[in-house]
Amino acid sequence: ALSGDGVIKHAQKGSAAPLFLYFFNFLYYNISEKAGILTMLKKLYGKMVNPETVSYLIFGVLTTAMDWIVYPISRWFGASVAAATFLGWAAAVIFAFVTNKIFVFKSHVWAPRGLLREFVSFVACRAFSGFVTIVAMVVMADFLGWNEYLAKVIVSAMSLILNYVFSKLIIFRKTSAGE
């Protein structure tokens, strides 16, 4: 392989190809020699892409689908944007609690006290994110006049991220007592 200087020496006047090769050669040598960026990206990828986050994403999509199924049906029956958003959220919360507990975070807490703590904290966190969802939907769709389904996509993405953080750090956190 030619070093960056070797590529320049072999460049033909007016040719863009050697400069293109020089650019990638320069990047390769600078990144591979320092390897800090690649190592950091690999570590970040390893932390972000694991069975828990992948299953959360899958069940998050299914939870969002539940919301998206209930929302237009509610609108079809004449519910307001706020009411339809609440109904979709409520159906999604029930589905999400079961799937997150069993399949995503694999919580083995079944004692009544621990189960109640998980359920109450799950509903409280989802109520908070649900409130944020309703406010965001009403602001985007009713006040700003955005297409309500575009607003729904944006709000769904925000909700997915917010709920993962709550579930990971608050609701299904691992404790030493097993509760």
Side-chain angles (χ1 to χ4, degrees):
L2 293 173
S3 69
D5 292 336
V7 171
I8 291 296
K9 288 177 186 174
H10 292 86
Q12 295 177 355
K13 191 174 186 178
S15 173
L19 291 178
F20 178 75
L21 291 173
Y22 176 74
F23 173 73
F24 283 104
N25 200 24
F26 173 80
L27 287 178
Y28 173 78
Y29 281 106
N30 281 292
I31 291 174
S32 65
E33 286 175 3
K34 295 178 183 162
I37 294 172
L38 289 177
T39 303
M40 182 182 71
L41 290 175
K42 285 179 184 176
K43 285 181 182 179
L44 184 61
Y45 179 82
K47 287 185 179 208
M48 293 179 62
V49 180
N50 57 59
E52 182 180 277
T53 56
V54 170
S55 62
Y56 185 82
L57 183 61
I58 291 167
F59 285 109
V61 167
L62 293 173
T63 298
T64 301
M66 176 70 72
D67 183 12
W68 277 69
I69 290 166
V70 173
Y71 180 83
I73 291 170
S74 300
R75 290 289 285 153
W76 187 75
F77 279 109
S80 68
V81 168
T85 301
F86 174 78
L87 292 171
W89 170 81
V93 165
I94 294 166
F95 178 80
F97 177 73
V98 173
T99 58
N100 281 323
K101 177 173 181 49
I102 296 170
F103 302 112
V104 177
F105 297 102
K106 296 178 173 54
S107 172
H108 298 289
V109 175
W110 296 105
R113 181 176 172 212
L115 188 59
L116 182 63
R117 182 197 61 79
E118 283 181 347
F119 182 73
V120 168
S121 60
F122 189 86
V123 171
C125 288
R126 294 295 169 114
F128 175 75
S129 67
F131 175 75
V132 169
T133 297
I134 292 169
V135 169
M137 280 296 295
V138 170
V139 167
M140 289 180 202
D142 290 344
F143 292 117
L144 297 177
W146 291 11
N147 177 290
E148 67 187 86
Y149 292 98
L150 171 63
K152 193 83 173 140
V153 168
I154 294 167
V155 168
S156 293
M158 290 175 11
S159 181
L160 188 72
I161 294 166
L162 187 60
N163 288 327
Y164 178 79
V165 171
F166 286 154
S167 292
K168 178 76 174 171
L169 301 179
I170 298 170
I171 302 160
F172 300 111
R173 70 182 185 272
K174 306 293 183 210
T175 62
S176 57
E179 182 183 303

